[in-house]
Amino acid sequence: MQEALTLLNGLTPTQFMTEYWQKKPLLIRGAIPGFKGMLTPDELAGLACETEVPSRLIQFDPEHADAGAGWQVAHGPFEEDDFAALPSQHWTLLVQGMNHILPEAQALLAHFNFIPTARLDDVMVSYAPTGGGVGPHIDSYDVFLLQGAGKRRWSISQQDDLRLIPDAPLRILSHFVSEQEWVLEPGDMLYLPPNIAHWGVAEDDDCMTYSIGFRAPAARELAVEFLDACRQEGLSDELYRDPELQPVLDATAIDQAMVKRVSGMLQRLTWQPEALGPFLARYFTEPKSYVVFTPNRKLSLAKFTDQVRESGVTLDLQTQMLHWQGQYFINGEVVELADECGHLLNSLANQRQLGARLFHSENAKMLLAWLRDMYLLGYLHLGEI
Ligand code: SIN
Ligand code: CO
């Protein structure tokens, strides 16, 4: 709790959620005292050269930043030469999914575990030399902007004017009017709810910002995905039927009788709210499109068991686990294990690891067989953090 109080400017998680979450911005000086970041700009650039790491490079010409042509966006993977060719100022490199790469970024997320994991998106890290940034914009999601090395000036506005610079390759507000400004130093953090206009500009040449971003699926997406899940789980294959059909005069018309028959078919597509829990657990643990698991090399169950008893297991940084009413899900799949494994699965989901000592009793056999399957898929690894 002490830690949560520093992180949230002396507020308890309950106070923060009640007063600020999804409602208003909060500046937190010294949110993570002593935080200086997790990697250097060169290391970040190195990651942006890898194929499985989503990255973007944004550049602008300060003389023409009010016109679309003044902005450029390039998507990774990059090559070292791309960085060597950059000007000394007015660009930024953004790398997503850092919690899938750096154990420290995954550990950073643990500070926010008073918010459901299902709401978390990822940790993005940006680097910018002086003057760099992504321009004034709004995001549809909540974000905690934690300053690593260097300084960044954040300007925010609650303005309603959301006009964008026409033809720009990214969404930049054309009429941003700053209402509040702060310079954030290492360890300072700014919480922004969705739809607050903001603009972060690097104040020096080693500015690195860590964005802890949240996800909020659109109703349309949830509906489409849920129907798709219902289809896979035996939605009726009933075909349209019209044995009472009479000859029509206008063959190109969709008539009321057809609408009525289809309406009847769709009304038979009933679903119970209980079906939503497993659907959400599956949906929120589904790996992102860029995630690739590397299978571990084959190991007999006996050898695997010995090693787990020696060193425990840790979830791969890309693995996502959630549960609903005692049913566990991992990377979009249901965990088929008896209820008595529930408390160990709960530790695995929440702590992301299981210590060796937990396996010293004989009755972890079923769990060990399942852990080995997950190990072979690369969803978890031997050893503790
Ligand atoms: C950044 O780190 O420069 C961008 C973060 C944001 O504005 O959402
Ligand atoms: Co933003």
Side-chain angles (χ1 to χ4, degrees), residues 26-160:
L26 176 66
L27 171 73
I28 307 160
R29 293 281 178 202
I32 302 196
F35 183 73
K36 293 201 172 56
M38 299 171 190
L39 75 178
T40 64
D42 277 352
E43 287 165 339
L44 190 72
L47 289 173
C49 295
E50 291 182 17
T51 39
E52 285 151 23
V53 180
S55 58
R56 278 170 297 159
L57 188 56
I58 296 167
Q59 284 187 72
F60 67 94
D61 170 357
E63 308 276 294
H64 302 101
D66 54 351
W71 291 83
Q72 277 179 51
V73 181
H75 292 267
F78 297 101
E79 295 186 3
E80 263 180 51
D81 289 353
D82 295 326
F83 297 111
L86 285 169
S88 62
Q89 294 193 343
H90 304 117
W91 57 271
T92 182
L93 172 66
L94 310 161
V95 181
Q96 296 283 155
M98 293 296 290
N99 48 310
H100 295 327
I101 302 170
L102 294 182
E104 297 87 340
Q106 181 65 57
L108 178 65
L109 290 180
H111 290 282
F112 298 88
N113 67 4
F114 54 90
I115 301 167
T117 308
R119 289 285 270 116
L120 267 175
D121 190 6
D122 71 345
V123 177
M124 179 183 85
V125 180
S126 70
Y127 164 72
T130 307
V134 301
H137 64 282
I138 56 161
D139 294 318
S140 331
Y141 310 106
D142 306 78
V143 65
F144 290 92
L145 299 154
L146 171 65
Q147 189 60 26
K151 294 190 191 132
R152 183 182 287 273
R153 177 178 299 275
W154 283 104
S155 311
I156 66 166
S157 166
Q158 316 243 13
Q159 66 190 58
D160 298 323

Side-chain angles (χ1 to χ4, degrees), residues 41 127-130 147-151 202-208:
Y127 164 72
T130 307
Q147 189 60 26
K151 294 190 191 132
E203 288 265 300
D204 48 29
D205 282 339
D206 54 359
C207 177
M208 297 194 78

Side-chain angles (χ1 to χ4, degrees), residues 64-283:
H64 302 101
D66 54 351
W71 291 83
Q72 277 179 51
V73 181
H75 292 267
F78 297 101
E79 295 186 3
E80 263 180 51
D81 289 353
D82 295 326
F83 297 111
L86 285 169
S88 62
Q89 294 193 343
H90 304 117
W91 57 271
T92 182
L93 172 66
L94 310 161
V95 181
Q96 296 283 155
M98 293 296 290
N99 48 310
H100 295 327
I101 302 170
L102 294 182
E104 297 87 340
Q106 181 65 57
L108 178 65
L109 290 180
H111 290 282
F112 298 88
N113 67 4
F114 54 90
I115 301 167
T117 308
R119 289 285 270 116
L120 267 175
D121 190 6
D122 71 345
V123 177
M124 179 183 85
V125 180
S126 70
Y127 164 72
T130 307
V134 301
H137 64 282
I138 56 161
D139 294 318
S140 331
Y141 310 106
D142 306 78
V143 65
F144 290 92
L145 299 154
L146 171 65
Q147 189 60 26
K151 294 190 191 132
R152 183 182 287 273
R153 177 178 299 275
W154 283 104
S155 311
I156 66 166
S157 166
Q158 316 243 13
Q159 66 190 58
D160 298 323
D161 184 347
L162 301 181
R163 279 176 292 169
L164 301 174
I165 297 182
D167 302 322
L170 69 173
R171 295 167 62 85
I172 301 174
L173 296 171
S174 53
H175 293 76
F176 178 76
V177 182
S178 169
E179 290 168 358
Q180 266 180 302
E181 280 186 31
W182 306 275
V183 173
L184 269 68
E185 302 201 6
D188 293 345
M189 187 164 76
L190 177 62
Y191 163 72
L192 294 179
N195 303 321
I196 297 283
H198 57 286
W199 188 3
V201 180
E203 288 265 300
D204 48 29
D205 282 339
D206 54 359
C207 177
M208 297 194 78
T209 302
Y210 292 68
S211 303
I212 296 99
F214 290 79
R215 66 194 286 194
R220 190 186 299 143
E221 186 191 334
L222 282 176
V224 169
E225 292 289 328
F226 183 61
L227 272 182
D228 192 48
C230 292
R231 183 174 60 82
Q232 290 172 21
E233 277 166 36
L235 200 71
S236 158
D237 272 343
E238 173 192 356
L239 298 183
Y240 180 87
R241 290 180 73 247
D242 50 5
E244 76 292 0
L245 189 63
Q246 294 294 307
V248 293
L249 291 175
D250 180 352
T252 56
I254 301 279
D255 63 11
Q256 275 307 326
M258 181 177 267
V259 167
K260 217 168 140 200
R261 284 183 211 108
V262 171
S263 151
M265 285 170 89
L266 294 185
Q267 274 168 23
R268 286 192 283 284
L269 299 182
T270 53
W271 50 273
Q272 304 301 321
E274 292 76 56
L276 285 176
F279 159 71
L280 290 174
R282 236 183 249 277
Y283 172 81

